[in-house]
Amino acid sequence: MVDNFRIFKDRVASGVMVVFMTLSLLLVVAMAIGLWLKSSDILAEHSLWDLLTASEWKPMRNQFGFLAFIVGTFYVTGVAILIALPTSLLMAVMLTEYSRSAVRRFIYPLLDILASLPSVIFGVWGTLVVVPIASDWLGPMVGTSTSGYTLLSGAVVLSVMILPLLVSLFMEIFDNVSGELRESSLALGATRWQTTKHVVLRAALPGIIASTVLAISRALGETIAVLMVCGNLAIIPGSLLDACYPIPALIANNYGEMLSLPLYESALMFAAFILFFVVLFFNLGARVYLKSVKK
């Protein structure tokens, strides 16, 4: 009787988990279908190729080119990852492999506080600190004038936002690496840095990749902080000191005006669909790569 009840509970638990997993998958599919249907008007008016390759954004003239927004999104996210990834990786290595436990107990709450701050605070910090630095120092240094609201400013603010997330994930991953691997390496005569480089980092590589993908996904969808410092000009940036206009900023800036023009809502929904597809495709590609790494 007891065994039958346990089997029944196990089957119920398995059924509940299958239901919730199916609902999660259906939610993603429903979001994709909804965005696609909302984008049908703009796709009926313009070809997909023209929308993705044109950079002219003049809704009053029925010109909806998304190339500048797509390029701006990838540029600001890519530069932010280039800044945050090595910094967070070295910080995590220092905290897990070299620092004392007292230092870690002090750093952990600071990372949690920094990760929990609203994005608008990072945007205000970028406006008050990063933008003046870019305008008053970097511009004259390279011999050009800039307002400070640039791709670099947006990337710096975005990198600071994802830094605590990456550091926390990397520290968790390094802590899960078996201590026997470290001890075996040290027993063979390897230095602490050689052990970290060839043993710890290698064992943690799949987790590092997964954490980076998670950070990139968050960076791709960040809106308010980047919107406040990136300049919001629909141009393809030619340098780090040019303005940019990421897709999330486009949606946030123009969503309130979408009812004034027939195709405006459909164009913004298509922008959201592009962002959704990019994040989904990037995560699926990362999953495939992780499987090959584990093999």
Side-chain angles (χ1 to χ4, degrees):
M1 184 66 179
V2 176
D3 291 338
N4 291 335
F5 184 68
R6 289 178 178 176
I7 294 174
F8 174 75
K9 288 197 300 182
D10 183 67
R11 290 178 178 176
V12 171
S14 300
V16 170
M17 286 186 286
V18 169
V19 169
F20 279 106
M21 181 187 69
T22 305
L23 289 176
S24 301
L25 294 176
L26 289 177
L27 179 61
V28 176
V29 174
M31 290 174 61
I33 294 175
L35 291 173
W36 178 259
L37 293 177
K38 284 288 187 177
S39 307
S40 59
D41 292 340
I42 193 72
L43 291 170
E45 188 79 15
H46 302 276
S47 68
L48 180 62
W49 177 256
D50 291 338
L51 292 173
L52 295 179
T53 57
S55 57
E56 292 291 330
W57 180 264
K58 297 178 180 178
M60 298 298 294
R61 299 181 184 178
N62 199 25
Q63 295 179 350
F64 298 94
F66 290 91
L67 181 60
F69 306 109
I70 296 172
V71 172
T73 301
F74 281 110
Y75 275 11
V76 73
T77 303
V79 176
I81 292 297
L82 288 177
I83 297 172
L85 181 57
T87 305
S88 58
L89 193 59
L90 291 175
M91 287 180 61
V93 168
M94 179 64 189
L95 290 171
T96 54
E97 304 298 322
Y98 294 92
S99 64
R100 299 178 180 178
S101 58
V103 177
R104 298 180 61 180
R105 286 197 299 268
F106 177 75
I107 295 296
Y108 266 127
L110 294 180
L111 291 174
D112 293 338
I113 292 172
L114 192 60
S116 62
L117 290 177
S119 59
V120 67
I121 295 180
F122 291 97
V124 173
W125 169 78
T127 303
L128 298 178
V129 178
V130 180
V131 169
I133 292 176
S135 176
D136 300 336
W137 293 2
L138 293 182
M141 187 182 301
V142 299
T144 184
S145 61
T146 175
S147 63
Y149 294 92
T150 61
L151 186 156
L152 182 60
S153 300
V156 169
V157 172
L158 197 56
S159 66
V160 174
M161 290 185 63
I162 62 177
L163 187 67
L165 173 65
L166 282 174
V167 174
S168 299
L169 291 174
F170 289 160
M171 291 177 66
E172 197 71 30
I173 293 166
F174 295 157
D175 285 338
N176 288 330
V177 176
S178 174
E180 295 179 355
L181 293 177
R182 295 181 176 87
E183 294 171 359
S184 299
S185 177
L186 294 173
L188 292 173
T191 63
R192 181 175 294 184
W193 169 244
Q194 289 173 332
T195 300
T196 301
K197 181 180 178 181
H198 297 290
V199 177
V200 177
L201 291 178
R202 190 166 185 175
L205 181 60
I208 293 174
I209 296 174
S211 301
T212 305
V213 170
L214 180 62
I216 292 175
S217 299
R218 181 186 174 184
L220 284 171
E222 185 53 49
T223 306
I224 299 299
V226 179
L227 180 152
M228 297 173 67
V229 298
C230 67
N232 299 327
L233 293 180
I235 59 173
I236 297 177
S239 70
L240 293 176
L241 296 181
D242 288 340
C244 67
Y245 208 163
I247 291 178
L250 168 70
I251 298 172
N253 271 336
N254 297 278
Y255 195 80
E257 305 173 6
M258 67 181 185
L259 297 178
S260 60
L261 294 174
L263 292 179
Y264 220 136
E265 179 183 7
S266 182
L268 295 179
M269 292 301 103
F270 181 70
F273 180 77
I274 293 174
L275 189 61
F276 175 86
F277 180 80
V278 167
V279 173
L280 182 63
F281 180 79
F282 186 81
N283 278 273
L284 291 177
R287 291 290 180 184
V288 173
Y289 180 73
L290 280 174
K291 286 186 177 181
S292 64
V293 169
K294 289 180 179 180
K295 289 181 181 180

